[in-house]
């Protein structure tokens, strides 16, 4: 038998297979049917009871050798090297192109493992993991390793191997194949270059860019977006891959709520294909100060699936430049019909009348505990029963105090603007709000923590005086409006309410929906429509899609009930 | 010997009876390959799923063949239902195989 035919068992008696085979057969096979089968050429092997082995007939032996050689030839086409390792995973033999032209390996590899040179890409951890695999006697599949060939060039090989066992089932080592995949690796690296260039370009932009899938999940984000996510708590804080942008927008609370809802709606529109582009400008308050953002959402069909690109630019610098200095006038930035924010001088001292009424040195002492914030239309500062954590001194926003009876819509019982403070109960000895405080008109306010307020209130007599006076005014107003709500018509009350809002916001344009107006006045929406229609017909106001403009202030005062004059005289 | 007994006593088992067989072969030598193919065709045609076949490579497990009284490969041994039977050769004679397996009558 030829030496390269490695069958599971040696056949001692087959060495003289070709010659004198007849004799063997005659000795082994005596019964008729077997003999006939042999003569018919239908038999491959004969059992030798003496040695306990099978003896291949010459024909079968040749066929098996041929087959083995064919297998070798075919597998040589698929692989560059064959190798064998001992039970300590050291190379004990290698054959194939390794010796020839490609020249990665020579005899020096014998006795080495995959951890040793010329292999150089396995870290300690990789080798540990690989060793564990080998200890389990698992097959090695497509293990890709870097190595240095004899000329000092970097090469890559792919390794496949299987454990081998001896006859007693003892582990002998591994054997397998190796393939030179240097060319493939080089091509892969080449193909990734333009891609990496594009990624680097995106990362270098000042604009935050992220891609969302149809469900709103962030698929990828550039570096500025990632950095922003790490540094902010506002709506921007979502741009981490895998996070859901829509969910975070929907969940936005506090001053971000309105923007969150608007952004989520815009993104959904673009995803649904209803609109090719959505644009929104909004303000973020962070410990570092106020920032303005310009957010653009565009549709994008990357790999066939619906995707949107959200890009956001920090436009704070530009906004600061654009701000109109001097006259203290505020400008309204409108995006898609939503009031996104007011810009004014950053918490100028005199903006809130109550604070302005304080002597300068008292005000200066208070100033340390005051923090400018932007309050946005629709934001709830307190709910009934909530502990009061902050008091607010509105600069140019309007906060409405609402009584919420269980079985009814909310009813407005007070309005706080720049003449007052939200959180009066604190000055009167309770730290729980009995009403809902809802921001009616976006704008800025000065905020103070309740603990700080307590201390300041105790120490500062002028503040006490101002707040008591204000509280008394509020009480009178509440009595007044209780009577007004009972006796006066919707139209007159609407006129009064619009005027009060105007006085507190210091402007003639503001945004109010009919539902909200209804709940302010404690009437149904239809009644509001009717009353607003009547005022509009008299050219006193203009009203469209929730945006109200007062056209004729004096005319509106005439239309309002006398309560307006009384309330105003209380303040002045 | 066993073989003689089977030839005479071949009876027709119910077609649902599971036939248990062992086929002894020598790796992928020509006759062994042929025997496997022939037997597969017969089983497919006549036994459907009602058989169990174990293929034994005598080059790997020579002692197993010797213990089972096998002298040459390929050989097919019918283990159950009784009586046992043995067929020698590459199983190209379909008729005699069917007869030896005792499934001739149920086929016709």
């Amino acid at each position: 038998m030829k030496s390269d035919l490695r069958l599971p068992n040696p056949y001692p008696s087959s060495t003289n297979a070709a010659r004198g085979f007849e004799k063997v057969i005659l000795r082994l096979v005596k019964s008729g049917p077997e003999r006939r089968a042999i003569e018919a050429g239908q038999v491959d092997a004969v059992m030798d009871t003496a040695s306990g082995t099978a003896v291949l007939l010459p024909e079968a032996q040749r066929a098996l050798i041929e087959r083995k050689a064919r297998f070798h030839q075919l597998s040589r086409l698929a692989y560059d090297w064959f190798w064998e390792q001992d039970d300590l995973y050291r190379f004990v033999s290698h054959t194939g192109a390794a010796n020839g032209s490609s020249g990665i390996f020579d005899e020096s590899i014998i006795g080495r493992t995959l951890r040793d040179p010329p292999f150089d890409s396995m870290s300690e951890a990789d080798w540990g993991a690989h060793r564990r695999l080998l200890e389990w006697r698992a097959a090695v599949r497509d293990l890709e390793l870097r190595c240095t060939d004899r000329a000092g060039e970097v090469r890559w090989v792919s390794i496949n191997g299987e454990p081998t066992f001896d006859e007693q089932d003892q582990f002998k080592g591994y054997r397998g194949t190796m393939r030179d995949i240097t060319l493939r690796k080089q091509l892969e690296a080449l193909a990734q270059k333009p891609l990496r260039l594009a990624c680097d370009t995106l990362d270098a932009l000042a604009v935050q860019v992220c891609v969302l899938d149809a469900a709103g999940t962030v698929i990828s984000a550039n570096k500025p977006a990632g950095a922003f996510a790490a540094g902010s708590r506002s709506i921007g804080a979502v741009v981490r891959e895998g996070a859901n942008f829509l969910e975070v927008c929907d969940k936005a609370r506090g001053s971000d709520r309105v923007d969150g809802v608007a952004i989520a709606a815009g993104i959904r529109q673009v995803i649904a294909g209803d609109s090719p582009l959505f644009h929104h400008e909004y303000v973020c308050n962070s410990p570092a100060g106020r920032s303005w953002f310009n957010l653009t959402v565009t549709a994008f069909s990357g790999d066939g699936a619906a995707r949107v690109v959200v890009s956001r630019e920090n436009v704070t610098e530009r906004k600061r430049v654009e701000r109109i200095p001097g006259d203290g006038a505020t400008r309204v930035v409108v995006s898609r019909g939503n009031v996104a924010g007011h810009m004014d001088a950053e918490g100028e001292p005199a903006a809130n009348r109550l604070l302005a009424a304080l002597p300068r040195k008292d005000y200066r002492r208070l100033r340390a505990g005051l923090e400018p914030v932007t309050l946005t239309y629709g934001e709830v500062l307190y709910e009934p029963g909530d502990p009061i954590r902050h008091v607010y001194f509105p600069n140019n926003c309007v906060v409405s105090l609402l009584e919420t009876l269980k079985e009814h819509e909310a009813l407005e019982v007070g309005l706080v603007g720049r003449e007052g403070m939200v959180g009066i109960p604190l000055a009167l000895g309770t730290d729980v709000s009995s009403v809902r405080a809802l921001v009616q008109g976006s704008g800025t306010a000065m905020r103070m923590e309740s603990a700080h307020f307590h201390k300041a209130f105790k120490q500062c007599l002028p503040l006490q005086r101002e707040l008591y006076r204000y509280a008394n005014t509020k009480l009178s107003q509440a009595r007044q409006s209780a009577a007004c709500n009972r006796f006066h018509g919707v139209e007159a009350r609407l006129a009064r309410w619009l005027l009060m809002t105007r006085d507190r916001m210091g402007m003639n344009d503001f945004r109010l929906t009919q539902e909200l107006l209804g709940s302010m006045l404690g009437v149904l929406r239809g009644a509001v429509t009717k009353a607003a229609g009547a005022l509009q017909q008299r050219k006193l106001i203009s009203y469209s899609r929730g945006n109200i403009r007062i056209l004729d202030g004096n005319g509106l005062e005439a239309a309002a009930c006398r309560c307006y004059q009384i309330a105003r005289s209380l303040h002045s | 010997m066993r073989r003689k007994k089977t030839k005479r006593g071949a009876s027709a088992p119910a077609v649902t009876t599971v036939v248990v067989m062992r086929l002894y072969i020598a790796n992928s030598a020509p006759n062994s390959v042929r025997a496997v193919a022939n037997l597969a065709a017969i089983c497919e045609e006549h036994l459907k799923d009602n058989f169990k076949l174990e293929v034994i490579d005598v080059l790997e497990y020579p002692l197993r063949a010797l213990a089972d009284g096998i002298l040459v490969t390929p050989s097919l041994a019918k283990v159950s239902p009784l009586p046992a039977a043995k067929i020698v050769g590459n199983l190209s004679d379909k008729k005699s195989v069917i007869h030896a397996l005792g499934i001739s009558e149920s086929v016709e």
Side-chain angles (χ1 to χ4, degrees):
Chain A
M1 190 185 166
K2 284 185 186 170
S3 62
D4 64 340
L5 175 64
R6 286 194 196 133
L7 290 168
N9 286 290
Y11 322 111
S13 55
S14 65
T15 44
N16 57 2
R19 271 195 303 130
F21 207 86
E22 281 293 307
K23 252 191 255 169
V24 180
I25 291 173
L26 285 173
R27 180 166 58 80
L28 294 174
V29 183
K30 297 197 168 76
S31 61
E34 275 89 355
R35 293 286 280 269
R36 275 198 295 279
I38 292 169
E39 279 157 19
Q42 289 197 4
V43 168
D44 296 323
V46 182
M47 301 308 296
D48 182 352
T49 37
S51 67
T53 56
V55 180
L56 279 171
L57 268 64
E59 192 70 21
Q61 206 177 39
R62 256 197 309 280
L64 282 182
I65 291 168
E66 258 174 44
R67 203 183 129 84
K68 188 99 178 172
R70 202 162 55 232
F71 172 75
H72 259 275
Q73 266 175 349
L74 285 175
S75 50
R76 209 163 270 157
L77 287 176
Y79 297 105
D80 298 328
W81 300 277
F82 293 94
W83 52 265
E84 277 181 293
Q85 289 174 342
D86 64 6
D87 53 351
L88 296 171
Y89 319 119
R90 294 175 304 204
F91 284 100
V92 288
S93 79
H94 70 109
T95 54
N99 305 315
S101 54
S102 74
I104 298 182
F105 309 118
D106 54 17
E107 292 307 317
S108 66
I109 196 177
I110 302 291
R112 290 183 179 168
T113 67
L114 290 175
R115 182 77 214 283
D116 305 320
F119 301 100
D120 57 6
S121 61
M122 264 213 191
S123 67
E124 196 61 53
D126 287 345
W127 175 241
H130 180 63
R131 278 289 294 265
R132 269 196 295 285
L133 203 72
L134 300 182
E135 300 297 343
W136 281 99
R137 310 294 179 235
V140 178
R141 290 280 171 260
D142 299 324
L143 176 70
E144 296 188 354
L145 288 181
R146 194 181 59 204
C147 56
T148 317
D149 69 5
R150 278 177 291 178
E153 299 279 323
V154 171
R155 305 289 281 266
W156 284 87
V157 290
S158 166
I159 295 171
N160 283 285
E162 275 181 343
T164 54
F165 301 91
D166 66 9
E167 280 158 69
Q168 276 77 48
D169 266 351
Q170 288 295 305
F171 174 67
K172 276 201 321 193
Y174 269 81
R175 68 176 170 209
T177 59
M178 221 186 274
R179 210 149 43 92
D180 186 351
I181 54 164
T182 311
L183 194 66
R184 199 195 80 202
K185 281 280 176 185
Q186 282 169 350
L187 286 174
E188 276 176 8
L190 216 63
Q192 275 171 2
K193 246 183 202 165
L195 199 67
R196 204 172 300 145
L197 184 73
C199 286
D200 288 348
T201 312
L202 275 177
D203 286 347
L205 289 176
V207 182
Q208 299 146 11
V209 181
C210 62
V211 181
L212 312 185
D213 68 6
T217 308
V218 178
I219 302 171
S220 72
N222 71 347
K223 262 191 195 146
F228 183 73
S232 169
R233 287 174 300 138
S234 57
I235 301 170
V238 285
V239 222
R240 207 165 292 122
E241 278 171 37
N244 193 306
F245 206 106
L246 289 175
E247 227 169 70
V248 178
C249 287
D250 286 340
K251 277 188 198 155
R253 285 285 168 270
S255 58
D256 290 337
R257 204 189 74 182
V258 173
D259 291 317
V261 170
I263 293 169
I267 291 174
R268 289 200 173 98
Q269 264 184 355
V270 176
I271 289 175
D274 294 343
S275 123
L277 182 114
F278 168 77
H279 184 78
H280 189 73
E281 210 168 82
Y282 64 99
V283 184
C284 275
N285 281 308
S286 71
R290 206 178 323 160
S291 316
W292 280 265
F293 288 97
N294 207 339
L295 182 130
T296 309
V297 183
T298 45
F300 157 70
S301 57
D303 34 11
R307 305 246 186 280
V308 293
V309 179
V310 178
S311 65
R312 179 175 40 204
E313 195 175 1
N314 189 329
V315 291
T316 311
E317 287 307 311
R318 206 184 75 209
K319 286 287 166 195
R320 292 241 159 92
V321 173
E322 277 178 7
R323 205 180 68 205
I324 301 168
D327 60 0
T330 55
R331 284 175 6 124
V332 185
V333 177
V334 176
S335 76
R336 293 232 154 190
N338 281 327
V339 176
H342 295 270
M343 267 136 283
D344 72 330
E346 298 243 333
E348 284 300 316
N352 182 279
R353 297 257 178 83
L354 215 147
L355 291 176
L358 298 176
R360 185 171 285 181
K361 81 170 189 308
D362 290 302
Y363 175 70
R364 219 176 286 142
R365 209 176 301 147
L366 273 183
R367 186 73 181 82
L370 289 170
E371 154 193 32
V373 287
T374 303
L375 301 180
T376 322
Y377 172 76
E379 191 176 341
V380 174
L381 303 179
Y382 317 128
E383 284 287 357
D386 275 3
I388 298 176
R389 296 209 168 82
H390 293 97
V391 296
Y392 297 83
F393 298 92
N395 291 331
N396 61 352
C397 61
V398 177
V399 178
S400 169
L401 305 177
L402 301 168
E403 194 62 60
T404 47
L405 298 177
K406 252 183 206 157
E407 61 273 28
H408 297 287
E409 292 285 304
L411 177 70
E412 196 210 24
V413 291
L415 206 56
V416 184
R418 57 182 163 177
E419 84 295 340
M421 182 185 94
V422 187
I424 278 295
L426 273 191
L428 301 177
T430 33
D431 53 2
V432 174
S433 175
S434 59
V435 291
R436 175 188 292 161
L438 177 78
V439 178
Q440 279 308 331
S442 305
T444 60
M446 304 302 278
R447 187 170 79 168
M448 186 183 267
E449 274 185 25
S450 52
H452 205 282
F453 175 80
H454 273 303
K455 212 192 277 173
F457 186 69
K458 256 182 233 157
Q459 289 167 355
C460 179
L461 274 178
L463 181 65
Q464 283 181 21
R465 202 171 49 233
E466 285 301 322
L467 283 175
Y468 285 141
R469 189 187 306 178
Y470 176 66
N472 183 47
T473 314
K474 281 272 102 167
L475 265 175
S476 315
Q477 256 176 24
R479 286 192 290 267
Q480 182 75 32
S481 67
C484 177
N485 285 341
R486 171 70 182 79
F487 296 115
H488 293 152
V490 176
E491 197 181 311
R493 277 161 55 204
L494 175 64
R496 170 176 72 93
W497 200 87
L498 293 176
L499 287 166
M500 281 167 67
T501 308
R502 178 197 69 174
D503 294 347
R504 280 159 182 79
M505 289 184 73
M507 63 177 94
N508 282 324
D509 297 85
F510 36 85
R511 180 171 165 71
L512 283 170
T513 61
Q514 296 204 346
E515 287 89 344
L516 213 94
L517 275 172
S519 77
M520 293 302 108
L521 300 170
V523 294
L524 291 175
R525 192 183 148 172
V528 175
T529 314
K530 208 173 141 200
L535 292 178
Q536 192 162 5
Q537 216 161 26
R538 287 159 65 183
K539 299 223 162 44
L540 301 175
I541 63 165
S542 75
Y543 182 90
S544 76
R545 289 189 196 165
N547 293 312
I548 287 181
R549 166 171 290 181
I550 295 177
L551 301 172
D552 178 358
N554 292 333
L556 200 60
E557 276 182 39
C561 55
R562 235 169 48 81
C563 302
Y564 172 67
Q565 296 295 346
I566 296 169
R568 200 159 72 157
S569 65
L570 280 171
H571 275 295
S572 56
Chain B
M1 299 198 22
R2 248 192 256 166
R3 183 182 54 81
K4 279 178 188 166
K5 265 191 242 162
T6 53
K7 280 212 167 169
R8 242 184 273 126
S11 62
V15 78
T16 48
T17 317
V18 173
V19 181
V20 181
M21 297 168 285
R22 284 193 205 116
L23 180 64
Y24 300 86
I25 56 159
N27 201 303
S28 53
N31 282 309
S32 299
V33 174
R34 230 165 280 150
V36 171
N38 287 334
L39 184 61
I42 291 166
C43 289
E44 166 97 358
E45 193 179 337
H46 298 291
L47 292 172
K48 300 285 182 292
D49 290 331
N50 303 317
F51 70 93
K52 269 186 186 165
L53 175 67
E54 187 185 6
V55 179
I56 297 148
D57 185 353
V58 298
L59 298 187
E60 249 181 277
Y61 307 102
L63 297 178
R64 179 84 199 276
L66 285 169
D68 291 350
I70 294 300
L71 288 175
V72 301
T73 55
S75 288
L76 176 68
K78 183 183 85 164
V79 181
S80 95
L82 290 172
K86 192 168 74 175
I87 311 134
V88 176
N90 62 19
L91 311 182
S92 50
D93 186 357
K94 201 163 139 186
K95 255 190 193 161
S96 67
V97 176
I98 290 169
H99 184 68
L101 290 177
I103 49 177
S104 51
E105 283 163 39
S106 64
V107 172
E108 279 148 21

